[in-house]
Amino acid sequence: MDTDNIIEVKNLTKTFGKFTAVDDISFEVKKGEIFGLLGPNGAGKSTTLRMLSTLSRPTKGTATIGGYDTVKHDMDVRKLIGIVSEKMIIYNRLTAKENLRFFGSLFNIPKDTLTKRIDDLLELVQLTKFKDAQVGTFSTGMRQRMNVVRALLNMPQVLFLDEPTLGLDPQSSVEIREFVRKLNQEQGTTVIITTHMMLDADLLCDRIAIVDHGKIIALDTSTNLKKIISGADTMIVKLEIANLTPDMTATIKALNCADAITQDNSTTLHVIVHGDEAFDSIIDAVRKKNGKITSMANLQPSLEDVFLHITGHEVRDSADQKIPMEHGPKRFGGGQRRVR
Amino acid sequence: MTVQTILKHSYRIAQKDLMELFRNRLGLVLLIVMPLFMMVMVGFIYPTNGTISDLQIGVVNEDAGLQGQFMSNQVFLPALQGINDQTHMLVMSNISSVDDLKDRVQRGNLEGGIVIPANFSESLMSGQQGTIIIVSDESNPQISATIRSALTGVFDAIGTQFAEQQLNTTNIAVVKPFNIQTQGVVSGNPSYFDFIAPGIMAMTVMMSVMTGLPVAISQEKEIGTMDGMMVAPVNRLSILLGKTFAQTARGLIQGAIILALAIGIFGVTIQGSILLVFALLLLGVFSFVGLGIVITSFTKDQETAQMLMMTLMFPMMFLSGVFFPIQQMPWYMQTISQFLPLTYASDALRKVMVLGAGVPQITNELIILVAFGIVMIAIALPVFRRMMTR
Ligand SMILES: Nc1ncnc2c1ncn2[C@@H]1O[C@H](COP(=O)(O)OP(=O)(O)OP(=O)(O)O)[C@@H](O)[C@H]1O
Ligand SMILES: [Mg+2]
């Protein structure tokens, strides 16, 4: 075992009946790292996190946190971790302070220490003013800040965050992101964060595991992941055509140089291409169909493009379309499929 | 993990649950309104007598006779037996003393009794009325009323027969030879409310754990807060215990409210010890906890838990003799009711509250409740452990 690794996951698998939600994944996380699990709805991110945080028992494989096995030494693991899960863990009928005092009392923290820590944490997320108000009266952003500091009561070495910015406005999202970064830098807390929002992953994570269908299909730093595209003489072209028709799209799709294509809106296409003549071929094809190109740009690859490139489909699901969890397999099938 | 830590955590969890409960105004109001409704409704729909047969009656014959003549054995009892052979209303057994009879009625071994006093033969043979005392179980006013009217009818019939006989032989007869007096096991005049109040109390308190526990746990699972406790270094038993404590407290509070309403509004009096009443309620809770845990383990969401609660509550309410005497039910229902702990809890509670029974008179019920509780918990704990480590 590498002593730098605070988390080691080996062949972790979880099945629900016949359905495999997490399929034989292995990875390590270093102490002090911010590690992202990125993938569409139903990819198995939450299931992975639940197994790591002792909430769910793996069907196969093992995971250790700080050297403790999550199944055999679950109580030791629990002392080391904090979790912000998809559903907010706070009681609406209790006040901010009562909530924190309750959850704090479940860890064996001396009373004085706990009281001080609660005050500090509330101050840290600017909720001191509301400490005696019932949490049910809070805005979503305030509740999520409460929810995050709740996970920090035991000063965890590892913090698990499951889609912490889900349903928050951009302002609140930024606040949470900044808070997590600060925590990581100042306390050295290791952070495992799941998200389907590329921006979150890109801005925050040291390394990112791209998860699809329960499998890790790529794992690297954001920069290196993007090199998968830019390294392999691949380019991303953003194309605006004033009189775009489905026929034109089909023609471009059929081109040799085009690897994948998606349509952003009625006039804009997003094409991943390779080869030196790619630009010329596209222009020729559009001209042949009497298309009017209003703009054409060579984009920096984003994680979105990386995902599209590797999986052949988009991470299209957005926060506002999130479907409540059902029993049984839920498959990503929303956005356009790969067109090659 | 020490026992102390487990208990400390469960105390915190119970405290948190109760704090939430007391902040829920509507919930609090319903806590009072529900039993009030139940008492009022049931109290006013006083059930009428059904056909009752095979009442267990004890006969205490203290007749001292007169000059070797025993009017009781020679005349009265054969006549009673003769009538009963046709109606099968009574099953009679001989009891040695009045105290023994009252004790058996309190224990529920007998439903009532007849006492023939020492001067029975003397009175009759000297041309006076012979007194017969009917002893009945007043914790069960319906049965009690039935026994009285049935026996009074029988005695009148015997009396007429007897008078005719005497007229034939001696030409003098007392027109109404038997003076029938009725006597309860305790003084006072219990009403139907005295009968249902203990039952409703037992039911509300016991149901509160059996149904409250699954609802409380599945609700926390559903909104996600359960994960907050599960991810802390807390023994699963603490969560279960804490929730049980909170539900028990809620149940006992509700029980106390019912008792207060019963005493204040419906004029119910308590003959036995209040302490014993609450001890019995706690024992009732204990006997139901296991069942509650099993249900908890099998219900995934709150809706199912609620539905299961309704499904179980109704038959149990009626089969346990909370509202109507078990003796009125068909035999198969009576059989089922023997397997419900609520039957014993409400019976014991009724004996204590109405008949002033103490621990010795309810030992059977106590043993059954404890045994039921232990067996159910022994079944429940492994089931619960499996559910928690999915
Ligand atoms: N308890 C369960 N029983 C049955 N199936 C489940 C259960 N939990 C999760 N699944 C299934 O496992 C798959 C992975 O779910 P998971 O919640 O881990 O996905 P996710 O990556 O977190 O997605 P999301 O972005 O929607 O949160 C889904 O298809 C889901 O339906
Ligand atoms: Mg998820």
Side-chain angles (χ1 to χ4, degrees):
Chain A
M1 190 186 92
D2 188 335
T3 45
D4 279 354
N5 292 338
I6 192 155
I7 300 180
E8 300 201 336
V9 178
K10 284 198 195 83
N11 308 105
L12 204 62
T13 304
K14 180 81 185 180
T15 55
F16 296 108
K18 277 191 183 140
F19 178 73
T20 306
V22 175
D23 194 356
D24 197 30
I25 62 171
S26 302
F27 61 88
E28 287 94 42
V29 179
K30 287 199 175 54
K31 209 171 239 162
E33 201 173 13
I34 301 185
F35 187 89
L37 286 165
L38 177 72
N41 286 150
K45 308 179 297 287
S46 300
T47 308
T48 306
L49 227 57
R50 290 181 68 79
M51 284 191 283
L52 293 185
S53 55
T54 75
L55 287 173
S56 167
R57 208 173 252 261
T59 314
K60 241 172 55 202
T62 56
T64 58
I65 311 255
Y68 295 112
D69 187 282
T70 53
V71 176
K72 283 184 218 129
H73 304 288
D74 52 356
M75 282 296 180
D76 296 303
V77 170
R78 287 182 190 127
K79 287 175 194 155
L80 299 181
I81 62 173
I83 182 162
V84 174
S85 65
E86 278 173 305
K87 293 175 181 165
M88 281 191 204
I89 302 177
I90 28 174
Y91 296 100
N92 285 338
R93 287 218 174 84
L94 304 189
T95 67
K97 225 167 147 176
E98 285 165 349
N99 263 291
L100 295 181
R101 210 177 302 137
F102 168 66
F103 285 108
S105 73
L106 301 181
F107 298 89
N108 296 322
I109 309 168
K111 208 171 165 198
D112 298 345
T113 320
L114 182 61
T115 309
K116 178 157 189 325
R117 199 173 292 169
I118 289 173
D119 288 343
D120 291 349
L121 286 172
L122 284 173
E123 187 63 45
L124 212 58
V125 288
Q126 294 123 46
L127 287 174
T128 307
K129 229 170 52 189
F130 306 98
K131 64 177 195 273
D132 291 319
Q134 289 186 24
V135 175
T137 64
F138 286 12
S139 74
T140 313
M142 285 159 79
R143 278 154 48 91
Q144 183 65 324
R145 292 200 315 254
M146 263 292 300
N147 190 26
V148 171
V149 291
R150 190 221 75 244
L152 299 176
L153 281 165
N154 59 329
M155 306 190 109
Q157 292 186 33
V158 180
L159 179 64
F160 292 102
L161 298 157
D162 198 356
E163 317 229 16
T165 59
L166 195 71
L168 299 187
D169 61 24
Q171 162 81 32
S172 299
S173 296
V174 170
E175 276 171 15
I176 296 284
R177 251 193 329 256
E178 287 314 310
F179 185 78
V180 171
R181 196 201 308 280
K182 225 170 88 185
L183 187 76
N184 171 261
Q185 279 165 0
E186 289 172 9
Q187 315 276 329
T189 311
T190 309
V191 178
I192 316 289
I193 182 169
T194 78
T195 179
H196 56 228
M197 288 185 251
M198 301 296 170
L199 197 64
D200 272 355
D202 211 354
L203 291 178
L204 207 54
C205 299
D206 297 320
R207 283 191 308 147
I208 297 163
I210 296 184
V211 192
D212 195 26
H213 296 246
K215 282 195 160 74
I216 293 184
I217 49 177
L219 196 173
D220 215 325
T221 60
S222 168
T223 323
N224 284 344
L225 284 172
K226 285 172 189 164
K227 275 188 197 145
I228 297 176
I229 294 190
S230 44
D233 89 321
T234 306
M235 280 171 298
I236 296 131
V237 180
K238 189 176 165 200
L239 195 60
E240 264 188 77
I241 302 170
N243 53 350
L244 181 66
T245 60
D247 182 36
M248 264 177 238
T249 314
T251 315
I252 299 170
K253 189 192 312 182
L255 289 174
N256 255 338
C257 62
D259 286 341
I261 185 169
T262 56
Q263 186 160 354
D264 291 356
N265 57 47
S266 60
T267 56
T268 317
L269 291 178
H270 216 91
V271 197
I272 299 182
V273 295
H274 66 269
D276 296 336
E277 275 109 54
F279 273 53
D280 290 333
S281 322
I282 290 176
I283 293 168
D284 284 349
V286 175
R287 283 242 177 90
K288 248 184 223 142
K289 296 280 173 191
N290 295 320
K292 249 187 86 179
I293 299 177
T294 45
S295 102
M296 190 166 182
N298 183 359
L299 293 187
Q300 282 300 315
S302 71
L303 280 177
E304 219 123 22
D305 300 309
V306 177
F307 190 86
L308 180 66
H309 184 73
I310 302 177
T311 65
H313 62 82
E314 269 184 287
V315 186
R316 227 326 147 71
D317 320 330
S318 56
D320 45 75
Q321 288 180 323
K322 178 131 184 166
I323 311 148
M325 176 115 90
E326 291 151 19
H327 296 293
K330 154 185 84 183
R331 271 278 36 100
F332 162 75
Q336 294 105 323
R337 288 271 140 189
R338 164 165 59 169
V339 232
R340 211 181 247 263
Chain B
M1 180 118 347
T2 63
V3 174
Q4 208 180 349
T5 329
I6 292 180
L7 286 178
K8 199 188 90 194
H9 285 159
S10 54
Y11 165 72
R12 297 312 304 247
I13 292 168
Q15 189 191 35
K16 183 269 303 171
D17 270 19
L18 288 176
M19 212 139 88
E20 276 189 289
L21 174 72
F22 286 119
R23 298 258 167 89
N24 180 357
R25 293 261 163 74
L26 183 65
L28 276 184
V29 171
L30 289 180
L31 208 66
I32 300 172
V33 168
M34 209 268 284
L36 182 64
F37 270 10
M38 217 183 281
M39 296 254 315
V40 171
M41 305 280 244
V42 185
F44 288 120
I45 312 171
Y46 189 102
T48 49
N49 299 334
T51 52
I52 296 184
S53 62
D54 294 332
L55 290 171
Q56 299 285 337
I57 297 293
V59 178
V60 181
N61 191 353
E62 294 183 326
D63 188 8
L66 186 71
Q67 295 152 6
Q69 297 269 52
F70 291 89
M71 294 308 276
S72 51
N73 285 338
Q74 288 160 9
V75 183
F76 177 76
L77 288 175
L80 181 60
Q81 193 62 53
I83 292 181
N84 193 44
D85 282 346
Q86 285 155 24
T87 58
H88 298 289
M89 195 180 289
L90 312 175
V91 176
M92 289 179 282
S93 48
N94 287 321
I95 307 292
S96 59
S97 74
V98 178
D99 284 341
D100 190 22
L101 173 69
K102 288 191 177 179
D103 188 54
R104 283 172 196 249
V105 172
Q106 273 184 327
R107 282 173 193 270
N109 295 348
L110 291 174
E111 274 137 340
I114 305 166
V115 178
I116 304 175
N119 62 358
F120 186 72
S121 295
E122 194 189 324
S123 306
L124 273 178
M125 288 168 76
S126 57
Q128 294 164 1
Q129 277 192 322
T131 302
I132 290 167
I133 302 166
I134 298 174
V135 177
S136 60
D137 171 8
E138 246 113 13
S139 68
N140 198 331
Q142 272 188 284
I143 295 286
S144 162
T146 311
I147 290 177
R148 280 183 215 175
S149 68
L151 286 179
T152 311
V154 172
F155 296 160
D156 274 348
I158 299 172
T160 315
Q161 248 178 36
F162 183 77
E164 274 166 9
Q165 259 175 32
Q166 275 205 326
L167 207 62
N168 288 343
T169 53
T170 64
N171 285 345
I172 23 163
V174 180
V175 181
K176 243 178 148 2
F178 304 127
N179 165 27
I180 294 155
Q181 296 178 355
T182 56
Q183 188 179 330
V185 177
V186 287
S187 52
N189 187 20
S191 70
Y192 185 58
F193 287 112
D194 289 281
F195 170 73
I196 55 164
I200 291 187
M201 260 173 85
M203 184 187 75
T204 317
V205 177
M206 288 165 81
M207 289 286 173
S208 70
V209 272
M210 194 189 83
T211 60
L213 198 59
V215 170
I217 289 184
S218 56
Q219 185 189 339
E220 284 221 32
K221 275 202 258 176
E222 212 161 291
I223 57 174
T225 44
M226 184 61 91
D227 286 348
M229 288 189 260
M230 301 279 280
V231 86
V234 169
N235 193 308
R236 272 68 191 115
L237 203 57
S238 297
I239 301 177
L240 194 60
L241 270 180
K243 291 261 158 204
T244 308
F245 287 160
Q247 292 305 318
T248 307
R250 193 187 66 134
L252 286 181
I253 291 170
Q254 222 174 354
I257 294 170
I258 298 172
L259 196 61
L261 288 176
I263 294 172
I265 301 181
F266 300 103
V268 170
T269 50
I270 299 179
Q271 305 292 339
S273 122
I274 277 238
L275 225 64
L276 188 55
V277 168
F278 278 92
L280 262 174
L281 288 178
L282 267 178
L283 185 61
V285 167
F286 172 76
S287 71
F288 259 17
V289 161
L291 205 57
I293 297 171
V294 171
I295 297 174
T296 307
S297 310
F298 286 111
T299 42
K300 282 219 170 67
D301 54 80
Q302 210 186 331
E303 210 183 317
T304 323
Q306 297 270 20
M307 259 159 55
L308 206 68
M309 152 178 158
M310 293 316 267
T311 319
L312 283 173
M313 191 154 157
F314 273 99
M316 192 141 358
M317 230 153 73
F318 291 104
L319 286 177
S320 301
V322 169
F323 298 130
F324 313 108
I326 292 167
Q327 290 89 334
Q328 275 186 351
M329 300 178 199
W331 65 268
Y332 54 89
M333 285 197 177
Q334 294 198 19
T335 309
I336 299 173
S337 79
Q338 282 172 8
F339 290 97
L340 301 176
L342 182 53
T343 308
Y344 302 99
S346 67
D347 245 26
L349 209 55
R350 204 170 278 145
K351 285 179 185 173
V352 173
M353 285 172 65
V354 186
L355 299 181
V359 176
Q361 283 87 31
I362 55 171
T363 33
N364 275 351
E365 282 88 349
L366 294 180
I367 291 169
I368 291 173
L369 286 174
V370 170
F372 195 92
I374 291 175
V375 169
M376 282 318 286
I377 288 175
I379 296 173
L381 283 183
V383 175
F384 179 75
R385 187 155 306 151
R386 241 193 47 210
M387 187 263 300
M388 282 306 212
T389 52
R390 243 180 323 142

